[in-house]
Each structure stands twice: as C-alpha cells, then as structure tokens.
Amino acid sequence: MSEFDAIVVGGGPAGTSAAMRLAANKLNVLLVEKADPPGSKNVSGGVLWGNSLSGVMPDWEKTAPLERYVKSKGIGFLTKDSSIDINFRSTKFNETKTGYTVLRTKLDQFLNKKAKDAGVTVVTGVTVDRLAFEGKKVVGVEQDGDIITSDAVILAEGANPRVAIDSGIRPPLKDEDVAIGVKEVIKLPEKTINDRFNLREKEGFAGEYVLGFLDGGVEAGGFLYTNKDSISLGVVISMKHLRENNKTYSYDIVEQFKNHPSIAPLLEDGKVDEYSARMVQEGGLASIPKLYGNGYMIAGDAAGFSFSNGLILQGMNYAIASGIAAADTVVEAKAGSGISEQSLSRYEEKLMNSFVLRDMHTFKGIGDITWGSLIHQKMPGVLEKVMLGLFMEDGEPKKHVNQIVKEALKSSGLKSSKLLLEGYRMYKRM
Amino acid sequence: MTLELVVLIKVVPDGKEVFVDPVNFTLNRSMATNVLNPADENALEAALKIKDEHGARITVMTMAPPFAEPFLLECMSRGADQAVLISDRAVAGSDTYPTSLTVAAAIKHLGKVDIVFAGEKTSDSSTGHVGPGVAEFLEAELATYSRSCRYEDGFVIAERELEEGVEVVKIPTPAVVTVITDSNNPRRATLRKKLNAQKKGIIVWSLQDVGLPSDWVGLRSSPTVVKKMLPFPAIERKGKVIALDMIDDFVKELVDSGIIKRGGN
Amino acid sequence: MKIEDRLSLLNYKIDKSYAHITVKPDICETCPDHFCTFACPAKCYTLIDAKLNFKYEDCVECGTCVVACAHGSVSWTNSKGAHGVKYKYG
Ligand SMILES: Cc1cc2nc3c(=O)[nH]c(=O)nc-3n(C[C@H](O)[C@H](O)[C@H](O)COP(=O)(O)OP(=O)(O)OC[C@H]3O[C@@H](n4cnc5c(N)ncnc54)[C@H](O)[C@@H]3O)c2cc1C
Ligand code: SF4
Ligand code: SF4
C-alpha cells in the first residue's frame, strides 16, 4: 500500500490545481513545494487569462487575490524614436472578464492555502530530488534519501524541470525551448496609475510590445501590466537570439525597454521595488516531452505547456488546465483499472480535447515567425516609416498610401512578396 | 536518564521585509512574512548537536498566537521531539517580563529540565531579555552570547563571544544558554520528518495549564512603556577605496577630518 | 538603474552549507563565448581578469544558465530547505 494516492511536486498553478481536484475527489494527496512561503520563488508577468481556475474554485473571481481586471489591452511596436500603439478597450471586458493581473507570491499562497483547506497534505520548504522507481514504474518521490510512496506522481515543477530531467523522463532543455523572462515591479500610487492609463478602480491595462530598437539587434518582447498600486514590467528574451548576439546583457534589456521614450513617462516617479527573473517555456509543440508513463504525468511549464507568439505570453491558464486534466486522469484510473501507463495515457487525450494541446497544434511553428526578424526588426521600422509618411507635415507633396508603404518596405530591404508570404503564414497560424 | 533540553523560539517578521516609517519611525510590517527568529535557528541547532552526541529529548516552546504552529512543526522536523505552544488571549501585549514568567512556568510544568536554549536576541525587538529572565525565574545558571557549547557530566561548557574576546564558562545544569546568530549551520528538515511532524502535531497549553493567573500577564503586567520612537541616524558611507601604499595619507585625512585623533606618545 | 542596485532590493536566505549551482573551472578556462555572463539576469557570472567568476549567492534561480552554457560546465540543482531568493511580489 502506498502512503498517498498521489504526490504532486510543485505548488504553482499547475500543482495546486491538480492537488485541489484530487482532494475534491476524496483522494489522499501530498503536495510538496520547495519555497516557503509558497510562491516566493515564482515569477509571472502576469495576467491570468481565461477561466480555468473555476474548475477547482468556482468562486475564484471573488476570493482570489487579483490586482485588476484587464479593461484595456495594448499592443505596441517600438522603434528607437517612435511607437505605434494599438489600444483596445471594450465594455465587453466588464461583463466577461478575460484576464486579471496577479502577483504570484499572493496568488500562490492563496492557492496553497485553498489546497490545504481542501484536505491536501501540503509540505513547504522541501525540495523533491527525484522520482522513485521500482523497475520502470514510478512508486513515489525521493527526498534526502527517503522514499515517500504514492500510486501516482504529478510533476508540476515549472519551467526548469530538474526532477523530470534528473529522473531521466525528459530531455534537458535546449535554446529553442526557452526564453529568459526578466521583470521589475514598480511602485506607483493607485490614482497615478488610473490617471496615466485612463482607468477606473479595479480596471487594468495589459500591454505587450515588440522591441524593435534593442542594441545589437537582440529580439525581445516587452510587457507592461498594471497592478493595484504597482506596475509589472518586463521583457522576454529569446535565448537563441541572445546567444547569436553574445554581447548584450540580459539585465540591461529591461532597462532599455523602461527608458524608451514612450514607456518612461508611464513610469515617472515610480520606485522599483523588486527585480526578478525566470525562464519561460517557449518551444511550442516541438519541445513537449512524453507527458506520462507508468505512475507519473507532467503538467504545466514542466511539460512545456504555454502559448507565446513573441508578444503575448500565457502559461498559468495552461498550467491550471493541465493540472486538472492530470488529476482527473488519476481519479478515473483509480476508479477503473488502476494506475498504469495505459490508464494514464488518457491524460494526453484529455489535453488534446482541451485548449492546452489544441492551441499548441493550432499555433505550431508560430515561434519561427514571431521571433523571426520580420516582426522584431523590420516590422516596427516599416510601420514607423508609414506612419511618418502619413502624418509628418514636411512641406513635400502628399503621397498616396500605396507609395508610402512601398517606399517604407524598400528602405527596410523587405520585398513585398516576402511580406506577403510571411504575412500569409502568420495569418494562417493565428 | 535522558537529557531534557528545551529550546525557546519566537516567530518574527522577516527583518529584510520590514521598513521604518519615515514619519513616525514605527515599523511597517505590512509586506513582511513571518520567519523563525534567526538566532533561534542556531539555538535549536546547538541543542540538536547535544542530542546527536548524548541523546536527549528536545522540547521546542513558544508563547504566541496559533500562527506559530508551522514554525514549531518545522523545528520538530529538524529533530526536536515535541513542541509546545503557549497560547492564551490573556498574554496579549505582554513584554519580556511576563513572557519570561510564563515560559518559565511552562518549563516547570514540563518537569525536569537540564538545559534551556534561546536565541541571544530576537530580530524584531532585540532586547535579549527572555533568556536571562527565564534563568532567573527557574533559578538556573546562565550563559549568554554562546557561540558553541557542549555538555559534560552535569555541566554546560559554553564559549561566550564577547567584545573583548572569547570566554569559556563551565556552569552546572540546570542552565540557560543564549545562542548568537550565525554561530552554526542549522540542519535542514526532510520531507519524511516534516510529514511525521504534521502527523504528530503540537501541544497547546493555556495559562491555566501552566498554572499562572491571567492577571500576572498581558499588557497591564508589563512594566515596559514605549515613550517615543526615535530614528537611529544612518551613517553615509563614503565608499573610498585606499591603495595599500596610501595608508599614511589616509590616516592623515582621517585625523584632519576629525574622524580619529592621533594618540599621544 | 544598475543591476547591483536592483539585486540589492532582493531578500535572500543564503545557504551557507550548500551551493546549488557549480561550474567546472577547467571547462570555463577554455570557453570561447562566456555566454553565461550575458545570459544570467542576476550577474552571477562575471569575468575577472579574463577568468570566469561565479557566485551563487545572488542567484534568483531562474534556470537560464544551465541552458545558456553550451559546454557542460554548469551543474544546476534546486535550492534546498527554502534557501535562496524570496520574492515579495513575484
Ligand atoms: C517573466 C514572465 C512573465 C510571464 N507572464 C505570464 C502572463 O502574463 N500570463 C501567464 O499566464 N503566464 C505568464 N508566464 C508564464 C507562467 O508564469 C507559467 O506558465 C506558470 O507559472 C506555470 O505554472 P506551473 O505551475 O507549471 O509552474 P510554476 O509556476 O513555475 O510552479 C512550479 C512550482 O514548483 C516548485 N518546485 C519546483 N521544483 C520543485 C521540487 N523539486 N520540489 C518541490 N517543489 C518544486 C516551484 O517552487 C514552483 O512553486 C510568465 C512567465 C515569466 C517568467
Ligand atoms: S559556464 Fe559555460 S558559458 Fe560560462 S564560461 Fe563556463 S563554459 Fe563558458
Ligand atoms: S539560475 Fe539564473 S540567476 Fe541563477 S546563476 Fe543561473 S542564470 Fe543566474
């Protein structure tokens, strides 16, 4: 007899959701989290998109520590001197809230407490070393030489899955799988934020930016999200492109973003209160490992579930949904034929039927395009020239829009056929 | 007979997350999470070392609201055998005097005790009163500022780190030893031990359990009066780096600026 | 804002008895790129007199360096016993 029906490694969104769902089904669950208090080592942008949490907490919008709901959504293309912004605001966001800004230390502590209240045995401040095997079957986890046994283990250890790698069930990460996320939290009075971003109480702004101006042509995306009385701002830097560049420091890039003429005024008089960094899963479908085996499943970032198009970054909702799917798989297996590789293969089926894997199939290969120099290097420049052509009054005779676009493309060295081709590929994938 | 060791702990706001309010000099703890008082971790480790060598039963004890429970469990998972939480509404507002009194009463209630360990001071109030206070109420010997200690046939031999140097004292048990921060490397809890500790749980005592009347404790029985909070002025560092062959010039500069005085000879 | 000033905002519980990341000096000695020095967001990897210097105390456990080092020099393990970085926002 095992000590637990299931052990969940990692108390982030994936792990806590899995644990809550298992406990709700009366299973005896152990959740192990290395940080104490939980969440104190985790970093997200972070907007929690979607409604996945309702699967374990129907009233989460009322009870969870949420900063603001996204009322205003921005996309910006930044060149050295200019920015072209698209800002989308909608009263529709009032009725159906699509995203909330969150701070992970608060959110994760809340989720771990909810798991505990649901009957999960929560242990914090201990790091699981490895999976424990009997032959090829996973029989629990190993920690400091002790083995704690369980029928199933759900690995939800986040973006640097040491347990999975050190247990030999997934390959080490490669450049293409990851990006480097670097973030700052900047304190500003609530009212100042409301004024600067044209928001009312509880309304928030979420902006993503293509940084087309970085020194040495590094490719990175920027984000800026409003919390109640602070701004979360950061960059996501492609590992592959930073390596090719090999002369820009990752920690300088976020400063370049902050100092951009269209960003700096938004932060004026703000006080940097925290600096943080975490690896981001970005590989898409290509970096997803084998998701299950005899006695284990992998969920959340550890499995590479996230969606990124170089602009927008989503992982928490995928983490929650995959954690719930893993938990349901254990519940069904225990009620049916028992835990085996066969019975846990239902996990992958569940993911295929949910947005987790469906999105990843839909956006297969999008990374090539978004991180491609087209969006990051050329597009902002082309847009800038078009805008200047349209709006600059320089005493020259006015040109037709067509002509302006053509000239802008020409000076960027982009062929319109290439733009069409890439544009079409992108369109197909979005 | 097994040695009976008691370790006194306190849960404090994480010192690195507490800020001084620039206006009225009170502490802003709103962002701070709770931690085990750093010196208490070393006190526990000192007790565990004696347990390793001689075998002992270790009881961890704190007087606090129920939020202290996870920290007591943490101590058990590092190797303490049991944990006592003295929790009673009547003790709210107690300063170090009634705290020492209550803790001493609880230790007596426990029965025989050989050595009581405590952190030399707590990071949130830094009085260093409780250890000596408990020693007084227990009529036990006392060694403060201990950086290491061992047990030998009814005696505690402690190295006391003082400003003038290190003093080695040998005192008979029962004894109270207060341990300085960073004097040893606290061991880590394991998952197995954490699970065992959770299973075992802690012991909760009220004032009545330890045999103290409630009007002996609390705010009204605390002689401390906080008159005013004053800032301790920060000293601006100049951050000068002096090359080795510039020492003479440097000394002259210090003398000229009145920072040091040249000694007469 | 200098990286050193940004790091000084952080709260660490430093593990004095365990370095969770280590490098192999002989590999770094012949490293052609020192990409770790550019990739690590906490400036734990620096070149001092052309020699790689690594300090784990400032590490924010982001996981970057184990991927960034293409020469197998970095051994990366999780911090233990809640040691290491402790964010207040995250
Ligand atoms: C800069 C940045 C910005 C982001 N922005 C967004 C955003 O706006 N929206 C969004 O949805 N997503 C965002 N993400 C992605 C999102 O943070 C992740 O997808 C999400 O956190 C994944 O959740 P998880 O539960 O799988 O892993 P994590 O949240 O990483 O949780 C894993 C947990 O496991 C613990 N752990 C690890 N190993 C062990 C072990 N051996 N033993 C015990 N415990 C262990 C860790 O301490 C951690 O608590 C962002 C990420 C970054 C870095
Ligand atoms: S850690 Fe790796 S990348 Fe850094 S210097 Fe050493 S070998 Fe080179
Ligand atoms: S884990 Fe991140 S912060 Fe730590 S040393 Fe590696 S790259 Fe630097």
Side-chain angles (χ1 to χ4, degrees):
Chain A
M1 259 281 281
S2 307
E3 293 164 79
F4 292 94
D5 293 318
I7 296 177
V8 180
V9 179
T16 48
S17 303
M20 279 187 255
R21 185 76 157 209
L22 289 161
N25 285 281
K26 306 270 178 303
L27 294 191
N28 181 14
V29 194
L30 169 64
L31 174 64
V32 191
E33 166 55 46
K34 74 174 170 176
D36 190 18
S40 59
K41 288 180 180 295
N42 293 344
V43 183
S44 274
V47 182
L48 175 55
W49 298 104
N51 190 25
S52 302
L53 257 188
S54 64
V56 281
M57 232 187 285
D59 63 346
W60 70 277
E61 285 179 287
K62 290 202 185 67
T63 53
L66 307 168
E67 296 289 320
R68 292 170 183 253
Y69 75 88
V70 177
K71 161 79 181 213
S72 163
K73 182 88 196 62
I75 294 177
F77 295 87
L78 307 186
T79 64
K80 191 164 161 293
D81 307 308
S82 317
S83 77
I84 296 116
D85 298 311
I86 302 165
N87 192 295
F88 181 64
R89 302 170 71 90
S90 175
T91 46
K92 288 225 159 66
F93 285 157
N94 300 358
E95 294 141 31
T96 319
K97 309 227 161 60
T98 55
Y100 289 91
T101 51
V102 296
L103 293 167
R104 288 294 299 275
T105 53
K106 291 190 203 168
L107 180 69
D108 290 18
Q109 273 182 64
F110 169 80
L111 294 173
N112 277 270
K113 177 159 185 313
K114 284 286 157 188
K116 199 170 176 184
D117 292 347
V120 175
T121 302
V122 179
V123 174
T124 56
V126 218
T127 305
V128 167
D129 297 327
R130 232 163 277 108
L131 290 171
F133 287 89
E134 229 162 59
K136 287 216 149 103
K137 187 176 161 52
V138 170
V139 293
V141 300
E142 199 183 312
Q143 199 279 326
D144 228 351
D146 296 323
I147 288 173
I148 317 290
T149 58
S150 67
D151 293 346
V153 176
I154 297 175
L155 286 180
E157 50 177 331
N160 184 11
R162 298 317 308 174
V163 175
I165 294 169
D166 296 344
S167 306
I169 58 165
R170 74 154 291 163
L173 299 166
K174 300 182 300 294
D175 279 10
E176 307 79 74
D177 300 329
V178 293
I180 310 167
V182 183
K183 176 186 170 183
E184 290 181 11
V185 175
I186 298 166
K187 275 278 192 199
L188 274 174
E190 188 173 352
K191 179 157 182 323
T192 310
I193 294 176
N194 292 351
D195 292 346
R196 281 186 195 167
F197 293 88
N198 194 12
L199 302 166
R200 276 178 294 194
E201 207 193 325
K202 293 196 174 144
E203 295 176 350
F205 167 77
E208 280 100 18
Y209 302 84
V210 172
L211 310 183
F213 63 93
L214 297 173
D215 293 348
V218 179
E219 289 178 10
F223 60 83
L224 190 160
Y225 304 138
T226 56
N227 303 313
K228 188 164 178 290
D229 56 1
S230 65
I231 286 177
S232 292
L233 164 148
V235 291
V236 175
I237 311 157
S238 147
M239 181 80 85
K240 193 163 148 236
H241 292 100
L242 192 71
R243 186 189 299 284
E244 282 160 12
N245 164 281
N246 206 40
K247 57 174 188 271
T248 303
Y249 296 100
S250 61
Y251 46 82
D252 284 340
I253 295 172
V254 63
E255 291 297 291
Q256 291 184 45
F257 176 42
K258 267 166 67 184
N259 293 331
H260 189 274
S262 68
I263 299 295
L266 299 172
L267 311 173
E268 201 175 318
D269 296 327
K271 183 177 152 290
V272 177
D273 208 14
E274 184 168 272
Y275 174 77
S276 59
R278 189 73 179 269
M279 215 153 49
V280 175
Q281 290 288 332
E282 279 237 315
L285 209 54
S287 55
I288 293 185
K290 184 162 181 279
L291 294 171
Y292 62 90
N294 195 354
Y296 74 86
M297 279 166 286
I298 312 181
D301 267 13
F305 297 146
S306 70
F307 170 66
S308 162
N309 55 16
L311 258 185
I312 190 172
L313 185 65
Q314 298 193 8
M316 288 184 275
N317 45 344
Y318 291 80
I320 294 163
S322 62
I324 292 175
D328 287 346
T329 308
V330 173
V331 172
E332 285 168 21
K334 291 211 51 129
S337 58
I339 305 281
S340 63
E341 175 145 9
Q342 173 69 30
S343 66
L344 296 188
S345 69
R346 288 272 297 128
Y347 176 47
E348 195 165 317
E349 282 168 43
K350 283 186 197 302
L351 294 172
M352 289 297 264
N353 291 325
S354 83
F355 67 91
V356 178
L357 279 180
R358 243 192 296 150
D359 283 359
M360 297 194 78
H361 275 279
T362 316
F363 291 97
K364 196 168 132 190
I366 193 165
D368 306 347
I369 298 173
T370 51
W371 280 123
S373 65
L374 178 75
I375 279 207
H376 280 268
Q377 297 293 311
K378 306 266 168 73
M379 194 77 107
V382 171
L383 284 173
E384 179 182 36
K385 291 212 173 68
V386 172
M387 293 293 174
L388 288 175
L390 284 173
F391 301 120
M392 275 282 254
E393 288 298 337
D394 54 3
E396 294 288 308
K398 297 231 174 354
K399 291 173 191 158
H400 201 277
V401 181
N402 255 345
Q403 188 64 25
I404 296 172
V405 173
K406 237 185 236 159
E407 282 173 17
L409 284 175
K410 202 168 150 208
S411 72
S412 75
L414 262 181
K415 283 209 185 75
S416 54
S417 60
K418 164 122 188 257
L419 188 69
L420 271 178
L421 184 76
E422 293 278 275
Y424 173 70
R425 278 174 57 198
M426 195 145 118
Y427 169 75
K428 238 182 67 183
R429 280 165 190 171
M430 297 231 263
Chain B
M1 238 173 47
T2 16
L3 282 175
E4 291 287 345
L5 311 181
V6 172
V7 181
L8 306 178
I9 67 153
K10 186 178 179 194
V11 178
V12 297
D14 190 333
K16 291 173 204 143
E17 296 167 353
V18 176
F19 304 95
V20 180
D21 184 306
V23 181
N24 47 21
F25 309 121
T26 50
L27 296 180
N28 177 355
R29 305 175 183 198
S30 62
M31 281 305 294
T33 47
N34 288 326
V35 293
L36 205 55
N37 176 47
D40 300 352
E41 294 201 40
N42 302 107
L44 173 62
E45 182 59 33
L48 287 166
K49 283 207 164 96
I50 291 185
K51 180 179 170 178
D52 290 344
E53 198 178 330
H54 302 277
R57 188 173 75 142
I58 300 181
T59 306
V60 199
M61 194 178 273
T62 191
M63 184 174 104
F67 67 69
E69 179 177 350
F71 298 90
L72 290 169
L73 292 175
E74 168 71 24
C75 295
M76 286 170 69
S77 32
R78 288 191 200 175
D81 300 273
Q82 59 178 3
V84 175
L85 173 68
I86 311 158
S87 205
D88 199 308
R89 271 174 207 283
V91 301
S94 292
D95 71 4
T96 52
Y97 183 87
T99 302
S100 310
L101 184 70
T102 314
V103 168
I107 294 172
K108 282 185 196 149
H109 186 62
L110 208 59
K112 171 195 116 122
V113 60
D114 295 291
I115 314 172
V116 177
F117 291 88
E120 196 276 313
K121 61 183 179 204
T122 52
S123 61
D124 61 340
S125 51
S126 280
T127 62
H129 289 171
V130 173
V134 168
E136 196 57 35
F137 289 123
L138 290 179
E139 292 174 31
E141 293 286 334
L142 172 69
T144 51
Y145 297 100
S146 165
R147 68 170 194 192
S148 79
C149 76
R150 55 202 166 82
Y151 173 80
E152 220 176 80
D153 303 324
F155 287 90
V156 174
I157 297 147
E159 280 183 24
R160 302 181 62 220
E161 193 164 296
L162 308 174
E163 264 164 41
E164 317 67 87
V166 176
E167 181 189 54
V168 181
V169 294
K170 183 170 179 180
I171 52 175
T173 58
V176 175
V177 178
T178 68
V179 177
I180 56 176
T181 316
D182 280 343
S183 52
N184 52 33
N185 271 328
R187 65 196 63 184
R188 281 189 287 270
T190 65
L191 179 54
R192 170 63 73 210
K193 286 185 183 150
K194 286 218 176 203
L195 286 170
N196 290 345
Q198 283 198 10
K199 226 171 272 167
K200 192 162 173 189
I202 61 164
I203 302 161
V204 182
W205 283 346
S206 65
L207 273 185
Q208 207 181 354
D209 291 326
V210 304
L212 274 188
S214 59
D215 54 357
W216 286 25
V217 298
L219 190 60
R220 267 184 299 158
S221 304
S222 298
T224 308
V225 178
V226 179
K227 276 194 150 158
K228 196 174 171 193
M229 299 294 270
L230 286 175
F232 191 72
I235 297 169
E236 192 83 29
R237 280 170 197 261
K238 296 232 166 77
K240 269 194 185 164
V241 180
I242 312 293
L244 214 51
D245 53 1
M246 298 294 282
I247 291 287
D248 286 345
D249 293 343
F250 178 55
V251 172
K252 185 170 178 308
E253 202 183 315
L254 288 179
V255 173
D256 290 348
S257 58
I259 294 173
I260 57 168
K261 271 206 190 97
R262 207 175 279 282
N265 43 359
Chain C
M1 201 172 175
K2 284 205 314 220
I3 179 64
E4 287 78 6
D5 295 332
R6 282 181 272 165
L7 292 172
S8 72
L9 299 169
L10 289 174
N11 182 5
Y12 295 94
K13 189 176 179 201
I14 291 171
D15 195 339
K16 295 186 189 94
S17 56
Y18 180 67
H20 64 291
I21 299 173
T22 53
V23 293
K24 300 182 187 69
D26 51 320
I27 298 184
C28 300
E29 185 109 23
T30 59
C31 178
D33 52 51
H34 304 296
F35 179 51
C36 56
T37 63
F38 299 102
C40 171
K43 207 180 177 180
C44 295
Y45 296 81
T46 47
L47 286 176
I48 299 179
D49 297 333
K51 225 178 132 191
L52 186 86
N53 177 59
F54 171 69
K55 54 172 192 300
Y56 73 95
E57 290 88 343
D58 282 345
C59 171
V60 295
E61 298 159 59
C62 71
T64 298
C65 53
V66 69
V67 184
C69 175
H71 316 292
S73 177
V74 174
S75 314
W76 207 102
T77 64
N78 280 306
S79 60
K80 295 183 184 206
H83 280 98
V85 72
K86 185 178 163 198
Y87 291 127
K88 56 183 174 189
Y89 303 110

